[in-house]
Amino acid sequence: MRLAQLVLRSFRNLVDDALEFPPEGVAVVGPNAQGKSNLLEAIYYLEVLRSFRGAPDRDLVRFGGDVFRLQGRVVTAENDAPFQGGRPERTVAAAWQRSGGRKKVTLDDVETERLGDGVGHVCAVLFTPADLALVDDGPHVRRRYLDIVLSLSEPGYMAALQRYRQVLSQRNAALKAGGHSPQTHAWEPLLVDAGSRVTVFRSRWIDTMAASFSRIHEEISGGTGARMTLDSGIPGLPEGQLELEGVSEALEVALREARDRDVRLGTTTVGPHRDELLLLLAPGEGAQDVRRFGSGGQRRSVALGLRLLEAETIRRRRGREPLLLMDDVFAELDEARSMRLLDLLHRTAVGQVILTAPRKAEIRFRQEGIERWGIRDGRILR
Amino acid sequence: MSLIDEVTREFSRLPGIGPRTARRLVHHLLRSSPEEGRRLARALDSLVDRIRPCRICGNHTEEETCAVCLDPKRDRSTVCVVESAFEVESVERTGQFQGLYHVLGGRLSPLDGVGPEDLRIEELLRRARDGDGEVREAILATNPSVEGEATAVYLETILRAEGVRVTRLARGIPVGSDLEYVDGSTLAQALAGRREM
């Protein structure tokens, strides 16, 4: 999958433009604060329909403007699965208007019924130096990682997750208002239904991808593998491959047994909202939590590994070669790790790459093979 | 605020009417004969004065008891439980239901501070208890939203305790629609609830 064209209107500091991207990609080189990350933010916005930096939409409109609009034309590569109806290309556009606060998303000029229908059409994976937080921060960032990867690859995941969240906030409100009562317990079957689906989606993905995760880490670190497991927020889950029925039963029992505590605390203490994606160094016995025991280099490798795993998921589940967006990622890696990562990318990432670097010397990937663009005050120089 | 603005605002509070449509309605009324506006005002006036909830089922009626509850031909052993009187009309239009109704006046939503005591649930239980076993089946026809489902679960618990048979409307693919356009979760539920042919 590749981005053929990006049309920018009033986005951040970027000058309005229609950029035509070469099939193999481009390296955008320029000093800091010129708009390099804004360009990647714009492209990735079309994948997830929000800012990867967590910025609210109103902050994305150019200063003094009312509307921003982004339009991308994506084209499938030779071995990619075609779009619906066998079409080889698709145009995704997103616009947000400050007055009214409305977001409009169109696919081939037709407005999507729900925003969720508009995500995942670019097949992009974004690497940034901030990815280290995937390892260093609390369990919620790894749940969000799972949520994004699964929403983009598993039909039905996002709907189950949204339903789970809605029921969860209703049950929590009921616990505070009603204590022990049939009207509080009435939310449990719904929580079991949505929560067990979310859990099974997550555990299946982790099971399927665990071997790739270990292999990727082995290659970047040049030695040990790594392990990824689900530490479920549902106590008493059966061992091994999780099936919907077993998970439903376990969640039902767990919710019933937690009732006293939940009423006392006024919140639901069991369920997938308490999941943790455990990342362990060295497979097998004595594996250690990367977050607590990993060195700086190890934590960075694992974080990169999670992004590469995201790319692998797109290849497998969507049948398309992902578009890689790399925001100055080599700056933070030591020499040996950079070399091994480059080697891995050379072998596995055969699609389009759009990367940024502050100086020419820091373009580490595809130095020879891709065009170079400059950037100054938000204007792309090509 | 001018009178025109005030009336425009009142219109735009109605569901499905945005500020533009509201303005168009106001200007339409101003252009039409004064009688048209007065007729609307009188109709609205009597609507809010004369329509009240049926003392038995909560459906809209101008009398003390609604026409459905008074109809001797209706089957008194089956009660269809709905969130609002709007849904009574929908079910009636099908012409397929011969039983009685019970209007809850909403659905459970702790986030909005709506509990069982805010709905006409006590009245429903009384109908189940005092009818000398006349009510044998309750059809739960609350909406398939998260809140509607939880309301159904709650009603099932308390109605079963009264010895009433409890059923729920089936969920699935809308008649006349194309499978291609049915959303995933609806299709999944339709698969789970498939029937032997």
Side-chain angles (χ1 to χ4, degrees):
Chain A
M1 189 80 145
R2 66 187 176 83
L3 180 66
Q5 190 199 46
L6 176 71
V7 182
L8 299 160
R9 291 277 174 272
S10 300
F11 188 82
R12 294 268 197 191
N13 79 327
L14 299 173
V15 173
D16 288 358
D17 207 340
L19 304 167
E20 309 281 342
F21 289 87
E24 57 281 6
V26 67
V28 183
V29 183
N32 288 329
Q34 302 301 310
K36 295 193 301 290
S37 300
N38 291 351
L39 178 63
L40 295 187
E41 184 180 37
I43 298 170
Y44 199 66
Y45 190 96
L46 289 174
E47 172 78 354
V48 295
L49 302 178
R50 57 181 179 192
S51 158
F52 77 79
R53 294 155 157 168
D57 287 318
R58 63 173 181 279
D59 291 0
L60 306 180
V61 186
R62 182 189 301 148
F63 187 73
D66 184 43
V67 188
F68 76 76
R69 185 167 192 279
L70 300 167
Q71 176 182 301
R73 187 159 57 81
V74 288
V75 181
T76 53
E78 207 175 325
N79 297 318
D80 287 349
F83 292 110
Q84 216 164 17
R87 290 163 51 88
E89 63 169 65
R90 170 170 275 172
T91 301
V92 190
W96 187 84
Q97 185 166 25
R98 190 193 298 275
S99 44
R102 201 173 96 84
K103 194 178 314 204
K104 182 177 172 183
V105 179
T106 60
L107 286 179
D108 290 330
D109 294 327
V110 181
E111 186 166 1
T112 59
E113 210 169 301
R114 283 167 300 197
L115 278 189
D117 298 337
V119 302
H121 294 284
V122 182
C123 292
V125 178
L126 173 73
F127 297 72
T128 81
D131 287 342
L132 189 55
L134 281 177
V135 173
D136 284 357
D137 286 4
H140 67 280
V141 299
R142 285 174 294 284
R143 283 196 296 271
R144 196 172 56 208
Y145 166 80
L146 284 174
D147 290 342
I148 291 173
V149 173
L150 284 162
S151 296
L152 294 177
S153 63
E154 297 291 335
Y157 181 79
M158 204 193 300
L161 180 69
Q162 281 169 346
R163 198 170 163 90
Y164 180 75
R165 287 183 177 156
Q166 195 185 346
V167 183
L168 185 66
S169 49
Q170 286 283 19
R171 182 176 190 256
N172 288 344
L175 286 167
K176 290 186 187 99
H180 276 293
S181 61
Q183 70 259 32
T184 303
H185 303 156
W187 298 93
E188 289 172 16
L190 296 155
L191 209 55
V192 168
D193 175 59
S196 53
R197 279 187 289 143
V198 169
T199 302
V200 169
F201 271 122
R202 287 179 181 172
S203 78
R204 283 204 181 137
W205 180 83
I206 292 170
D207 261 12
T208 320
M209 303 307 287
S212 301
F213 178 68
S214 183
R215 181 181 46 74
I216 289 168
H217 187 261
E218 220 175 291
E219 298 201 28
I220 306 176
S221 69
T224 59
R227 200 145 63 91
M228 162 173 96
T229 62
L230 180 68
D231 179 10
S232 172
I234 308 173
L237 273 189
E239 289 286 315
Q241 179 81 41
L242 295 182
E243 295 298 333
L244 197 55
E245 211 175 317
V247 177
S248 301
E249 267 169 42
L251 182 52
E252 196 186 324
V253 172
L255 280 168
R256 206 165 44 229
E257 286 176 352
R259 276 178 187 170
D260 278 338
R261 186 179 52 206
D262 287 1
V263 166
R264 204 169 55 241
L265 299 174
T267 191
T268 303
T269 56
V270 294
H273 62 293
R274 294 289 177 101
D275 279 356
E276 163 70 304
L277 174 65
L278 275 179
L279 305 167
L280 306 165
L281 281 174
E285 296 296 310
Q288 290 190 315
D289 190 341
V290 184
R291 184 183 170 204
R292 289 165 58 207
F293 301 105
S295 68
Q298 283 170 326
R299 299 199 322 276
R300 218 167 269 289
S301 302
V302 168
L304 268 170
L306 287 175
R307 291 296 176 218
L308 290 165
L309 203 60
E310 201 177 322
E312 183 63 25
T313 306
I314 291 177
R315 276 185 206 109
R316 286 203 208 170
R317 303 297 301 177
R318 284 192 275 169
R320 300 196 181 117
E321 182 58 34
L323 156 62
L324 303 187
L325 306 172
M326 313 188 101
D327 195 12
D328 199 11
V329 283
F330 292 96
E332 314 268 342
L333 282 179
D334 63 55
E335 192 58 23
R337 272 173 219 277
S338 298
M339 295 309 292
R340 286 190 294 261
L341 173 62
L342 282 168
D343 189 48
L344 181 64
L345 286 172
H346 281 308
R347 278 182 289 121
T348 57
V350 297
Q352 192 180 34
V353 178
I354 298 171
L355 56 87
T356 70
R359 277 178 304 277
K360 211 161 61 183
E362 279 167 60
I363 309 171
R364 306 294 303 274
F365 185 40
R366 296 198 184 161
Q367 295 101 316
E368 312 304 326
I370 57 177
E371 216 172 282
R372 262 173 230 159
W373 291 355
I375 184 165
R376 180 156 297 278
D377 292 335
R379 181 180 300 281
I380 315 282
L381 313 163
R382 51 204 189 275
Chain B
M1 193 193 301
S2 83
L3 188 53
I4 289 181
D5 288 344
E6 193 185 324
V7 180
T8 307
R9 215 173 71 174
E10 289 304 320
F11 272 122
S12 63
R13 287 152 76 124
L14 299 173
I17 296 189
R20 251 184 85 85
T21 311
R23 253 193 358 254
R24 194 177 303 140
L25 291 176
V26 170
H27 285 275
H28 170 82
L29 287 173
L30 291 173
R31 266 197 315 273
S32 327
S33 72
E35 190 44 35
E36 186 162 338
R38 281 193 201 105
R39 213 164 44 230
L40 178 64
R42 276 199 303 274
L44 287 175
D45 219 31
S46 32
L47 180 78
V48 292
D49 272 351
R50 304 218 317 254
I51 301 292
R52 52 182 165 166
C54 165
R55 73 183 169 87
I56 298 171
C57 73
N59 189 15
H60 291 152
T61 175
E62 290 179 52
E63 313 300 328
E64 205 175 312
T65 310
C66 77
V68 178
C69 287
L70 284 174
D71 187 345
K73 290 197 292 296
R74 308 283 299 211
D75 170 13
R76 274 154 213 283
S77 69
T78 312
V79 173
C80 179
V81 183
V82 293
E83 289 177 20
S84 73
F86 185 73
E87 282 102 38
V88 171
E89 268 187 61
S90 306
V91 180
E92 277 299 278
R93 264 203 311 273
T94 67
Q96 297 297 306
F97 181 65
Q98 292 308 313
L100 303 179
Y101 293 93
H102 191 85
V103 178
L104 294 171
R107 55 196 175 178
L108 293 180
S109 180
L111 283 174
D112 303 308
V114 180
E117 61 286 352
D118 303 302
L119 305 174
R120 300 181 65 258
I121 288 174
E122 202 42 55
E123 288 88 335
L124 177 62
L125 285 177
R126 220 176 301 131
R127 285 177 81 181
R129 270 180 214 138
D130 302 350
D132 290 330
E134 205 182 30
V135 177
R136 282 199 296 276
E137 178 181 354
I139 302 172
L140 303 181
T142 50
N143 284 302
S145 64
V146 162
E147 289 76 17
E149 292 288 0
T151 309
V153 173
Y154 172 68
L155 291 176
E156 191 221 325
T157 319
I158 59 169
L159 284 169
R160 235 186 256 290
E162 300 295 328
V164 177
R165 176 179 180 228
V166 185
T167 56
R168 179 92 173 102
L169 284 191
R171 283 172 294 188
I173 301 158
V175 175
S177 68
D178 208 299
L179 267 194
E180 194 185 339
Y181 299 108
V182 174
D183 72 285
S185 63
T186 304
L187 200 52
Q189 297 207 346
L191 264 174
R194 68 190 183 277
R195 278 192 318 211
E196 198 78 48
M197 282 186 70

